Amino acid sequence: MAGLAIAAAALVGFALTENLIFWFFLRFVLGYCVNTIYVLGEAWLNAAANDRVRGRVTGVYGAGMSFGFAIGPLGIAVFGTEDGLAFSICASFVALVAMLFAILARRAKAEPEPVILREIGAFFTLSPHLIVLVIIFGIFDSTAIAILPLYFVNEGLTQGEAAIFVTVIHVGMIVAQPALGWLLDRVNRWAVAIGCLAATSLSFFVLLYIPVSSSLLWLVSAAAGAAFFGVYTSALTLLGQNHTGSTLVAGSAAFAMAYALGGIAGPATTGALLAINASWAFWFLIAVSTCAAAILWRKLGRS
């Protein structure tokens, strides 16, 4: 409740001032609150879900989150950047969600347990393979949104077409996650995670060699989004399968930290490589997902 309420207030702050220093402060507060919602929301999701249908529940959650990622930027296109209208509309929406949450949360039959702070750091050594999955997802998610559109503009796409590229990636995420969730409830979940990593490597390899004028670019982009977001859907399902209680909440917090690490490393590394040689950025992405798949394949073989 506090995360939603303060996030709405921060968005109102963006609408009221254009002071850059104050915006830095508001952006920090907004990031803190959104992360709180992520951590507790995903822990709550896993605490409430029956393991028999955990993959499907997580798949629907992933589709919903991807839908939000896809439509959020449209606020700028629809409401513009003048007079803080887009921020005000967004703040009103978040406030409405907070009100609905306050009403619906009273009916909750399961809640995440309080976290023990030391368990967050310990989770990195307790489940390093899950942390690897989330770091890889953070690398690909941030790179696909921040860096790859620049690459395709340099290759000949217009800025509008590059924006469509990001939308197509999100469409792939939305469509694929429920089906992937169904698969997670039918076969070995670690095998599904490995398959998503392998598909991610393959799709980015193909993207490297497809001309930007080819219609295949959009199909492979959608497949790439489905594959790398599937890595996170698999990781979130495995988190709930293997951990309960305060460790589950600690794992959700560790996931947020791991995603942030990937989100920092991905654009920084691929951006530097793009400045040297465009193909190197793709080979870096292919290498990290392939190495992660190999590490998990070895784990699967031992288990």
Side-chain angles (χ1 to χ4, degrees):
M1 281 296 301
L4 288 165
I6 298 173
L11 289 165
V12 171
F14 285 120
L16 294 177
T17 181
E18 294 184 358
N19 183 288
L20 184 60
I21 300 301
F22 193 53
W23 269 41
F24 285 152
F25 169 74
L26 291 173
R27 188 62 186 88
F28 177 86
V29 170
L30 184 63
Y32 188 95
C33 293
V34 168
N35 201 51
T36 300
I37 296 165
Y38 265 121
V39 170
L40 293 178
E42 292 182 353
W44 204 336
L45 179 84
N46 266 321
N50 186 294
D51 195 62
R52 183 176 57 85
V53 294
R54 189 181 306 281
R56 279 165 281 183
V57 171
T58 308
V60 172
Y61 167 79
M65 185 164 61
S66 300
F67 181 72
F69 288 157
I71 67 169
L74 294 178
I76 296 297
V78 174
F79 301 110
T81 59
E82 300 298 326
D83 303 323
L85 180 60
F87 289 120
S88 299
I89 295 294
C90 192
S92 300
F93 176 75
V94 175
L96 176 62
V97 170
M99 293 173 58
L100 293 174
F101 179 79
I103 296 170
L104 295 175
R106 297 177 181 178
R107 302 182 182 181
K109 297 180 180 179
E111 291 186 22
E113 294 185 14
V115 68
I116 300 172
L117 191 59
R118 65 175 179 273
E119 289 186 351
I120 299 175
F123 192 88
F124 281 79
T125 55
L126 179 64
S127 294
H129 294 93
L130 286 179
I131 295 298
V132 167
L133 283 176
V134 179
I135 290 175
I136 296 300
F137 169 65
I139 289 173
F140 276 88
D141 189 46
S142 57
T143 300
I145 295 171
I147 299 298
L148 291 188
L150 301 179
Y151 164 78
F152 285 116
V153 167
N154 288 335
E155 290 296 305
L157 289 185
T158 66
Q159 291 184 8
E161 288 170 334
I164 293 173
F165 164 81
V166 176
T167 301
V168 169
I169 280 184
H170 284 111
V171 170
M173 295 178 186
I174 296 167
V175 172
Q177 298 320 298
L180 183 63
W182 177 87
L183 187 62
L184 284 163
D185 289 332
R186 293 293 187 277
V187 301
N188 185 291
R189 288 166 176 168
W190 284 108
V192 175
I194 294 169
C196 289
L197 287 168
T200 298
S201 297
L202 179 61
S203 58
F204 275 79
F205 175 80
V206 175
L207 279 175
L208 179 59
Y209 291 101
I210 291 180
V212 295
S213 58
S214 172
S215 58
L216 279 176
L217 176 69
W218 311 110
L219 179 62
V220 178
S221 298
F228 75 72
F229 201 91
V231 172
Y232 188 71
T233 300
S234 301
L236 192 58
T237 304
L238 285 161
L239 173 65
Q241 171 187 298
N242 297 327
H243 301 283
T244 58
S246 61
T247 306
L248 177 61
V249 185
S252 296
F255 271 25
M257 295 171 66
Y259 176 82
L261 289 172
I264 293 170
T269 304
T270 53
L273 292 173
L274 276 176
I276 302 171
N277 187 309
S279 64
W280 289 7
F282 279 84
W283 284 115
F284 165 74
L285 295 171
I286 293 166
V288 295
S289 57
T290 302
C291 288
I295 292 169
L296 293 183
W297 180 264
R298 186 178 178 184
K299 170 192 165 45
L300 187 63
R302 291 199 305 264
S303 60

mmCIF file of all heavy atoms in Angstrom, residues 139-182:
data_model
loop_
_atom_site.group_PDB
_atom_site.id
_atom_site.type_symbol
_atom_site.label_atom_id
_atom_site.label_comp_id
_atom_site.label_asym_id
_atom_site.label_seq_id
_atom_site.Cartn_x
_atom_site.Cartn_y
_atom_site.Cartn_z
ATOM 1 N N ILE A 139 20.165 -8.543 -18.271
ATOM 2 C CA ILE A 139 21.051 -8.134 -19.363
ATOM 3 C C ILE A 139 20.263 -8.001 -20.663
ATOM 4 O O ILE A 139 20.348 -6.985 -21.374
ATOM 5 C CB ILE A 139 22.202 -9.139 -19.530
ATOM 6 C CG1 ILE A 139 23.186 -9.026 -18.361
ATOM 7 C CG2 ILE A 139 22.935 -8.920 -20.859
ATOM 8 C CD1 ILE A 139 24.262 -10.101 -18.356
ATOM 9 N N PHE A 140 19.472 -9.021 -20.993
ATOM 10 C CA PHE A 140 18.754 -9.016 -22.271
ATOM 11 C C PHE A 140 17.604 -8.011 -22.278
ATOM 12 O O PHE A 140 17.380 -7.333 -23.284
ATOM 13 C CB PHE A 140 18.234 -10.421 -22.587
ATOM 14 C CG PHE A 140 19.253 -11.295 -23.250
ATOM 15 C CD1 PHE A 140 20.125 -12.057 -22.499
ATOM 16 C CD2 PHE A 140 19.361 -11.342 -24.631
ATOM 17 C CE1 PHE A 140 21.080 -12.855 -23.097
ATOM 18 C CE2 PHE A 140 20.311 -12.130 -25.254
ATOM 19 C CZ PHE A 140 21.178 -12.897 -24.478
ATOM 20 N N ASP A 141 16.881 -7.914 -21.175
ATOM 21 C CA ASP A 141 15.739 -7.002 -21.133
ATOM 22 C C ASP A 141 16.186 -5.556 -21.299
ATOM 23 O O ASP A 141 15.626 -4.802 -22.110
ATOM 24 C CB ASP A 141 14.996 -7.190 -19.806
ATOM 25 C CG ASP A 141 13.676 -6.443 -19.781
ATOM 26 O OD1 ASP A 141 12.921 -6.536 -20.765
ATOM 27 O OD2 ASP A 141 13.386 -5.778 -18.777
ATOM 28 N N SER A 142 17.208 -5.170 -20.560
ATOM 29 C CA SER A 142 17.679 -3.787 -20.642
ATOM 30 C C SER A 142 18.333 -3.496 -21.986
ATOM 31 O O SER A 142 18.158 -2.409 -22.554
ATOM 32 C CB SER A 142 18.666 -3.508 -19.505
ATOM 33 O OG SER A 142 19.752 -4.409 -19.546
ATOM 34 N N THR A 143 19.061 -4.466 -22.518
ATOM 35 C CA THR A 143 19.736 -4.260 -23.804
ATOM 36 C C THR A 143 18.732 -4.166 -24.947
ATOM 37 O O THR A 143 18.866 -3.325 -25.836
ATOM 38 C CB THR A 143 20.732 -5.403 -24.071
ATOM 39 O OG1 THR A 143 21.712 -5.429 -23.029
ATOM 40 C CG2 THR A 143 21.433 -5.214 -25.414
ATOM 41 N N ALA A 144 17.728 -5.034 -24.921
ATOM 42 C CA ALA A 144 16.737 -5.042 -25.997
ATOM 43 C C ALA A 144 15.981 -3.728 -26.073
ATOM 44 O O ALA A 144 15.617 -3.268 -27.163
ATOM 45 C CB ALA A 144 15.764 -6.203 -25.801
ATOM 46 N N ILE A 145 15.761 -3.091 -24.929
ATOM 47 C CA ILE A 145 14.989 -1.852 -24.891
ATOM 48 C C ILE A 145 15.869 -0.621 -25.111
ATOM 49 O O ILE A 145 15.465 0.341 -25.764
ATOM 50 C CB ILE A 145 14.239 -1.736 -23.547
ATOM 51 C CG1 ILE A 145 13.188 -2.850 -23.447
ATOM 52 C CG2 ILE A 145 13.577 -0.384 -23.398
ATOM 53 C CD1 ILE A 145 12.552 -2.972 -22.086
ATOM 54 N N ALA A 146 17.101 -0.649 -24.576
ATOM 55 C CA ALA A 146 17.926 0.559 -24.563
ATOM 56 C C ALA A 146 18.947 0.630 -25.688
ATOM 57 O O ALA A 146 19.258 1.709 -26.178
ATOM 58 C CB ALA A 146 18.659 0.670 -23.211
ATOM 59 N N ILE A 147 19.491 -0.514 -26.091
ATOM 60 C CA ILE A 147 20.637 -0.495 -26.999
ATOM 61 C C ILE A 147 20.301 -0.995 -28.402
ATOM 62 O O ILE A 147 20.669 -0.372 -29.400
ATOM 63 C CB ILE A 147 21.797 -1.348 -26.422
ATOM 64 C CG1 ILE A 147 22.252 -0.762 -25.083
ATOM 65 C CG2 ILE A 147 22.964 -1.409 -27.402
ATOM 66 C CD1 ILE A 147 22.804 0.638 -25.162
ATOM 67 N N LEU A 148 19.571 -2.098 -28.517
ATOM 68 C CA LEU A 148 19.323 -2.672 -29.841
ATOM 69 C C LEU A 148 18.570 -1.738 -30.787
ATOM 70 O O LEU A 148 18.854 -1.738 -31.996
ATOM 71 C CB LEU A 148 18.581 -4.001 -29.707
ATOM 72 C CG LEU A 148 19.395 -5.153 -29.104
ATOM 73 C CD1 LEU A 148 18.623 -6.456 -29.196
ATOM 74 C CD2 LEU A 148 20.753 -5.295 -29.792
ATOM 75 N N PRO A 149 17.611 -0.914 -30.299
ATOM 76 C CA PRO A 149 17.001 0.040 -31.230
ATOM 77 C C PRO A 149 18.024 0.976 -31.875
ATOM 78 O O PRO A 149 17.891 1.338 -33.054
ATOM 79 C CB PRO A 149 16.024 0.813 -30.339
ATOM 80 C CG PRO A 149 15.667 -0.155 -29.263
ATOM 81 C CD PRO A 149 16.934 -0.910 -28.991
ATOM 82 N N LEU A 150 19.053 1.371 -31.122
ATOM 83 C CA LEU A 150 20.104 2.219 -31.689
ATOM 84 C C LEU A 150 20.853 1.486 -32.791
ATOM 85 O O LEU A 150 21.187 2.060 -33.831
ATOM 86 C CB LEU A 150 21.084 2.641 -30.582
ATOM 87 C CG LEU A 150 20.499 3.423 -29.408
ATOM 88 C CD1 LEU A 150 21.584 3.732 -28.390
ATOM 89 C CD2 LEU A 150 19.851 4.713 -29.902
ATOM 90 N N TYR A 151 21.101 0.202 -32.559
ATOM 91 C CA TYR A 151 21.793 -0.609 -33.569
ATOM 92 C C TYR A 151 20.981 -0.660 -34.861
ATOM 93 O O TYR A 151 21.513 -0.465 -35.966
ATOM 94 C CB TYR A 151 22.029 -2.024 -33.035
ATOM 95 C CG TYR A 151 22.387 -3.030 -34.110
ATOM 96 C CD1 TYR A 151 23.673 -3.083 -34.635
ATOM 97 C CD2 TYR A 151 21.429 -3.906 -34.616
ATOM 98 C CE1 TYR A 151 23.997 -3.989 -35.634
ATOM 99 C CE2 TYR A 151 21.744 -4.822 -35.604
ATOM 100 C CZ TYR A 151 23.023 -4.857 -36.111
ATOM 101 O OH TYR A 151 23.345 -5.755 -37.094
ATOM 102 N N PHE A 152 19.671 -0.894 -34.738
ATOM 103 C CA PHE A 152 18.850 -1.028 -35.933
ATOM 104 C C PHE A 152 18.664 0.307 -36.653
ATOM 105 O O PHE A 152 18.512 0.337 -37.879
ATOM 106 C CB PHE A 152 17.506 -1.660 -35.573
ATOM 107 C CG PHE A 152 17.597 -3.140 -35.308
ATOM 108 C CD1 PHE A 152 17.322 -3.651 -34.055
ATOM 109 C CD2 PHE A 152 17.992 -4.016 -36.310
ATOM 110 C CE1 PHE A 152 17.430 -5.007 -33.797
ATOM 111 C CE2 PHE A 152 18.098 -5.368 -36.071
ATOM 112 C CZ PHE A 152 17.817 -5.872 -34.810
ATOM 113 N N VAL A 153 18.678 1.421 -35.918
ATOM 114 C CA VAL A 153 18.660 2.732 -36.574
ATOM 115 C C VAL A 153 19.923 2.922 -37.394
ATOM 116 O O VAL A 153 19.884 3.393 -38.544
ATOM 117 C CB VAL A 153 18.496 3.854 -35.519
ATOM 118 C CG1 VAL A 153 18.797 5.218 -36.149
ATOM 119 C CG2 VAL A 153 17.088 3.847 -34.951
ATOM 120 N N ASN A 154 21.057 2.535 -36.826
ATOM 121 C CA ASN A 154 22.319 2.625 -37.566
ATOM 122 C C ASN A 154 22.334 1.719 -38.788
ATOM 123 O O ASN A 154 23.013 2.006 -39.775
ATOM 124 C CB ASN A 154 23.495 2.269 -36.654
ATOM 125 C CG ASN A 154 23.774 3.339 -35.623
ATOM 126 O OD1 ASN A 154 23.450 4.507 -35.820
ATOM 127 N ND2 ASN A 154 24.357 2.944 -34.504
ATOM 128 N N GLU A 155 21.549 0.630 -38.719
ATOM 129 C CA GLU A 155 21.498 -0.312 -39.841
ATOM 130 C C GLU A 155 20.488 0.103 -40.908
ATOM 131 O O GLU A 155 20.407 -0.535 -41.957
ATOM 132 C CB GLU A 155 21.161 -1.713 -39.327
ATOM 133 C CG GLU A 155 22.271 -2.357 -38.518
ATOM 134 C CD GLU A 155 23.521 -2.613 -39.342
ATOM 135 O OE1 GLU A 155 23.417 -3.279 -40.395
ATOM 136 O OE2 GLU A 155 24.605 -2.123 -38.945
ATOM 137 N N GLY A 156 19.688 1.142 -40.638
ATOM 138 C CA GLY A 156 18.790 1.636 -41.674
ATOM 139 C C GLY A 156 17.335 1.785 -41.298
ATOM 140 O O GLY A 156 16.541 2.329 -42.072
ATOM 141 N N LEU A 157 16.925 1.321 -40.089
ATOM 142 C CA LEU A 157 15.545 1.534 -39.680
ATOM 143 C C LEU A 157 15.334 2.993 -39.289
ATOM 144 O O LEU A 157 16.257 3.669 -38.849
ATOM 145 C CB LEU A 157 15.201 0.650 -38.474
ATOM 146 C CG LEU A 157 15.066 -0.863 -38.683
ATOM 147 C CD1 LEU A 157 14.607 -1.516 -37.382
ATOM 148 C CD2 LEU A 157 14.104 -1.204 -39.808
ATOM 149 N N THR A 158 14.104 3.476 -39.454
ATOM 150 C CA THR A 158 13.760 4.798 -38.940
ATOM 151 C C THR A 158 13.574 4.700 -37.424
ATOM 152 O O THR A 158 13.454 3.601 -36.866
ATOM 153 C CB THR A 158 12.471 5.312 -39.577
ATOM 154 O OG1 THR A 158 11.376 4.482 -39.165
ATOM 155 C CG2 THR A 158 12.573 5.299 -41.097
ATOM 156 N N GLN A 159 13.508 5.851 -36.753
ATOM 157 C CA GLN A 159 13.285 5.825 -35.309
ATOM 158 C C GLN A 159 11.925 5.211 -34.978
ATOM 159 O O GLN A 159 11.786 4.483 -33.984
ATOM 160 C CB GLN A 159 13.373 7.244 -34.753
ATOM 161 C CG GLN A 159 14.777 7.817 -34.788
ATOM 162 C CD GLN A 159 14.860 9.183 -34.135
ATOM 163 O OE1 GLN A 159 13.909 9.654 -33.528
ATOM 164 N NE2 GLN A 159 16.013 9.817 -34.256
ATOM 165 N N GLY A 160 10.926 5.482 -35.816
ATOM 166 C CA GLY A 160 9.606 4.892 -35.599
ATOM 167 C C GLY A 160 9.638 3.383 -35.730
ATOM 168 O O GLY A 160 9.014 2.664 -34.944
ATOM 169 N N GLU A 161 10.368 2.883 -36.727
ATOM 170 C CA GLU A 161 10.477 1.436 -36.902
ATOM 171 C C GLU A 161 11.256 0.797 -35.758
ATOM 172 O O GLU A 161 10.951 -0.329 -35.346
ATOM 173 C CB GLU A 161 11.158 1.139 -38.240
ATOM 174 C CG GLU A 161 10.281 1.438 -39.446
ATOM 175 C CD GLU A 161 11.055 1.360 -40.754
ATOM 176 O OE1 GLU A 161 12.291 1.562 -40.737
ATOM 177 O OE2 GLU A 161 10.424 1.106 -41.796
ATOM 178 N N ALA A 162 12.253 1.512 -35.240
ATOM 179 C CA ALA A 162 12.994 0.997 -34.091
ATOM 180 C C ALA A 162 12.091 0.899 -32.868
ATOM 181 O O ALA A 162 12.199 -0.042 -32.067
ATOM 182 C CB ALA A 162 14.195 1.886 -33.795
ATOM 183 N N ALA A 163 11.179 1.865 -32.718
ATOM 184 C CA ALA A 163 10.216 1.801 -31.620
ATOM 185 C C ALA A 163 9.269 0.620 -31.794
ATOM 186 O O ALA A 163 8.899 -0.057 -30.827
ATOM 187 C CB ALA A 163 9.424 3.099 -31.535
ATOM 188 N N ILE A 164 8.889 0.346 -33.057
ATOM 189 C CA ILE A 164 8.047 -0.818 -33.339
ATOM 190 C C ILE A 164 8.778 -2.103 -32.966
ATOM 191 O O ILE A 164 8.171 -3.055 -32.458
ATOM 192 C CB ILE A 164 7.640 -0.833 -34.824
ATOM 193 C CG1 ILE A 164 6.698 0.346 -35.123
ATOM 194 C CG2 ILE A 164 6.952 -2.146 -35.190
ATOM 195 C CD1 ILE A 164 6.376 0.505 -36.588
ATOM 196 N N PHE A 165 10.101 -2.130 -33.187
ATOM 197 C CA PHE A 165 10.911 -3.284 -32.805
ATOM 198 C C PHE A 165 10.732 -3.598 -31.315
ATOM 199 O O PHE A 165 10.528 -4.747 -30.919
ATOM 200 C CB PHE A 165 12.384 -3.013 -33.125
ATOM 201 C CG PHE A 165 13.355 -3.950 -32.455
ATOM 202 C CD1 PHE A 165 13.599 -5.200 -32.992
ATOM 203 C CD2 PHE A 165 14.018 -3.589 -31.294
ATOM 204 C CE1 PHE A 165 14.486 -6.080 -32.382
ATOM 205 C CE2 PHE A 165 14.907 -4.445 -30.681
ATOM 206 C CZ PHE A 165 15.147 -5.698 -31.221
ATOM 207 N N VAL A 166 10.778 -2.567 -30.469
ATOM 208 C CA VAL A 166 10.604 -2.766 -29.024
ATOM 209 C C VAL A 166 9.194 -3.276 -28.734
ATOM 210 O O VAL A 166 9.001 -4.184 -27.909
ATOM 211 C CB VAL A 166 10.880 -1.453 -28.266
ATOM 212 C CG1 VAL A 166 10.596 -1.621 -26.782
ATOM 213 C CG2 VAL A 166 12.322 -1.011 -28.479
ATOM 214 N N THR A 167 8.192 -2.719 -29.422
ATOM 215 C CA THR A 167 6.818 -3.167 -29.221
ATOM 216 C C THR A 167 6.643 -4.623 -29.627
ATOM 217 O O THR A 167 5.987 -5.402 -28.920
ATOM 218 C CB THR A 167 5.851 -2.288 -30.028
ATOM 219 O OG1 THR A 167 5.982 -0.931 -29.605
ATOM 220 C CG2 THR A 167 4.407 -2.747 -29.837
ATOM 221 N N VAL A 168 7.239 -4.995 -30.749
ATOM 222 C CA VAL A 168 7.129 -6.378 -31.234
ATOM 223 C C VAL A 168 7.758 -7.349 -30.239
ATOM 224 O O VAL A 168 7.231 -8.440 -29.983
ATOM 225 C CB VAL A 168 7.785 -6.509 -32.624
ATOM 226 C CG1 VAL A 168 7.929 -7.977 -33.025
ATOM 227 C CG2 VAL A 168 6.960 -5.771 -33.665
ATOM 228 N N ILE A 169 8.895 -6.969 -29.652
ATOM 229 C CA ILE A 169 9.513 -7.800 -28.621
ATOM 230 C C ILE A 169 8.541 -8.023 -27.468
ATOM 231 O O ILE A 169 8.385 -9.148 -26.963
ATOM 232 C CB ILE A 169 10.824 -7.158 -28.118
ATOM 233 C CG1 ILE A 169 11.955 -7.444 -29.109
ATOM 234 C CG2 ILE A 169 11.210 -7.681 -26.745
ATOM 235 C CD1 ILE A 169 13.295 -6.934 -28.662
ATOM 236 N N HIS A 170 7.850 -6.961 -27.047
ATOM 237 C CA HIS A 170 6.906 -7.094 -25.947
ATOM 238 C C HIS A 170 5.691 -7.924 -26.338
ATOM 239 O O HIS A 170 5.151 -8.669 -25.505
ATOM 240 C CB HIS A 170 6.467 -5.710 -25.464
ATOM 241 C CG HIS A 170 7.504 -5.011 -24.643
ATOM 242 N ND1 HIS A 170 8.175 -3.894 -25.073
ATOM 243 C CD2 HIS A 170 8.012 -5.290 -23.418
ATOM 244 C CE1 HIS A 170 9.028 -3.504 -24.144
ATOM 245 N NE2 HIS A 170 8.950 -4.337 -23.129
ATOM 246 N N VAL A 171 5.246 -7.821 -27.575
ATOM 247 C CA VAL A 171 4.144 -8.656 -28.039
ATOM 248 C C VAL A 171 4.533 -10.131 -27.951
ATOM 249 O O VAL A 171 3.740 -10.983 -27.520
ATOM 250 C CB VAL A 171 3.740 -8.274 -29.477
ATOM 251 C CG1 VAL A 171 2.773 -9.311 -30.047
ATOM 252 C CG2 VAL A 171 3.103 -6.896 -29.507
ATOM 253 N N GLY A 172 5.779 -10.431 -28.338
ATOM 254 C CA GLY A 172 6.269 -11.803 -28.196
ATOM 255 C C GLY A 172 6.230 -12.277 -26.758
ATOM 256 O O GLY A 172 5.856 -13.419 -26.470
ATOM 257 N N MET A 173 6.610 -11.386 -25.848
ATOM 258 C CA MET A 173 6.559 -11.726 -24.426
ATOM 259 C C MET A 173 5.127 -12.045 -23.993
ATOM 260 O O MET A 173 4.867 -13.050 -23.323
ATOM 261 C CB MET A 173 7.070 -10.547 -23.593
ATOM 262 C CG MET A 173 8.527 -10.187 -23.772
ATOM 263 S SD MET A 173 8.881 -8.729 -22.736
ATOM 264 C CE MET A 173 10.570 -8.366 -23.214
ATOM 265 N N ILE A 174 4.184 -11.168 -24.356
ATOM 266 C CA ILE A 174 2.803 -11.311 -23.904
ATOM 267 C C ILE A 174 2.197 -12.614 -24.399
ATOM 268 O O ILE A 174 1.596 -13.371 -23.629
ATOM 269 C CB ILE A 174 1.960 -10.119 -24.397
ATOM 270 C CG1 ILE A 174 2.453 -8.809 -23.786
ATOM 271 C CG2 ILE A 174 0.486 -10.330 -24.072
ATOM 272 C CD1 ILE A 174 1.883 -7.575 -24.445
ATOM 273 N N VAL A 175 2.348 -12.892 -25.679
ATOM 274 C CA VAL A 175 1.702 -14.048 -26.287
ATOM 275 C C VAL A 175 2.275 -15.360 -25.754
ATOM 276 O O VAL A 175 1.538 -16.328 -25.501
ATOM 277 C CB VAL A 175 1.846 -13.986 -27.824
ATOM 278 C CG1 VAL A 175 1.349 -15.272 -28.472
ATOM 279 C CG2 VAL A 175 1.086 -12.785 -28.375
ATOM 280 N N ALA A 176 3.593 -15.397 -25.541
ATOM 281 C CA ALA A 176 4.249 -16.667 -25.232
ATOM 282 C C ALA A 176 4.162 -17.092 -23.777
ATOM 283 O O ALA A 176 4.193 -18.285 -23.470
ATOM 284 C CB ALA A 176 5.722 -16.584 -25.651
ATOM 285 N N GLN A 177 4.053 -16.137 -22.832
ATOM 286 C CA GLN A 177 4.202 -16.506 -21.416
ATOM 287 C C GLN A 177 3.125 -17.463 -20.895
ATOM 288 O O GLN A 177 3.455 -18.403 -20.156
ATOM 289 C CB GLN A 177 4.291 -15.252 -20.550
ATOM 290 C CG GLN A 177 5.481 -14.358 -20.858
ATOM 291 C CD GLN A 177 6.764 -15.127 -21.150
ATOM 292 O OE1 GLN A 177 7.273 -15.852 -20.298
ATOM 293 N NE2 GLN A 177 7.289 -14.962 -22.348
ATOM 294 N N PRO A 178 1.840 -17.288 -21.213
ATOM 295 C CA PRO A 178 0.867 -18.289 -20.733
ATOM 296 C C PRO A 178 1.157 -19.694 -21.250
ATOM 297 O O PRO A 178 1.030 -20.673 -20.501
ATOM 298 C CB PRO A 178 -0.469 -17.749 -21.268
ATOM 299 C CG PRO A 178 -0.245 -16.270 -21.397
ATOM 300 C CD PRO A 178 1.177 -16.136 -21.847
ATOM 301 N N ALA A 179 1.548 -19.799 -22.524
ATOM 302 C CA ALA A 179 1.885 -21.119 -23.071
ATOM 303 C C ALA A 179 3.118 -21.687 -22.394
ATOM 304 O O ALA A 179 3.189 -22.890 -22.086
ATOM 305 C CB ALA A 179 2.112 -21.009 -24.588
ATOM 306 N N LEU A 180 4.084 -20.842 -22.128
ATOM 307 C CA LEU A 180 5.286 -21.288 -21.434
ATOM 308 C C LEU A 180 4.944 -21.719 -20.006
ATOM 309 O O LEU A 180 5.489 -22.715 -19.502
ATOM 310 C CB LEU A 180 6.312 -20.155 -21.411
ATOM 311 C CG LEU A 180 7.663 -20.485 -20.780
ATOM 312 C CD1 LEU A 180 8.378 -21.578 -21.558
ATOM 313 C CD2 LEU A 180 8.537 -19.238 -20.704
ATOM 314 N N GLY A 181 4.043 -20.992 -19.351
ATOM 315 C CA GLY A 181 3.608 -21.381 -18.014
ATOM 316 C C GLY A 181 2.967 -22.757 -18.005
ATOM 317 O O GLY A 181 3.202 -23.565 -17.092
ATOM 318 N N TRP A 182 2.146 -23.042 -19.015
ATOM 319 C CA TRP A 182 1.548 -24.372 -19.151
ATOM 320 C C TRP A 182 2.639 -25.431 -19.281
ATOM 321 O O TRP A 182 2.570 -26.499 -18.652
ATOM 322 C CB TRP A 182 0.636 -24.393 -20.374
ATOM 323 C CG TRP A 182 0.017 -25.737 -20.651
ATOM 324 C CD1 TRP A 182 -1.148 -26.227 -20.130
ATOM 325 C CD2 TRP A 182 0.540 -26.759 -21.506
ATOM 326 N NE1 TRP A 182 -1.387 -27.495 -20.605
ATOM 327 C CE2 TRP A 182 -0.369 -27.848 -21.454
ATOM 328 C CE3 TRP A 182 1.672 -26.866 -22.312
ATOM 329 C CZ2 TRP A 182 -0.176 -29.021 -22.181
ATOM 330 C CZ3 TRP A 182 1.886 -28.037 -23.029
ATOM 331 C CH2 TRP A 182 0.966 -29.099 -22.975
#
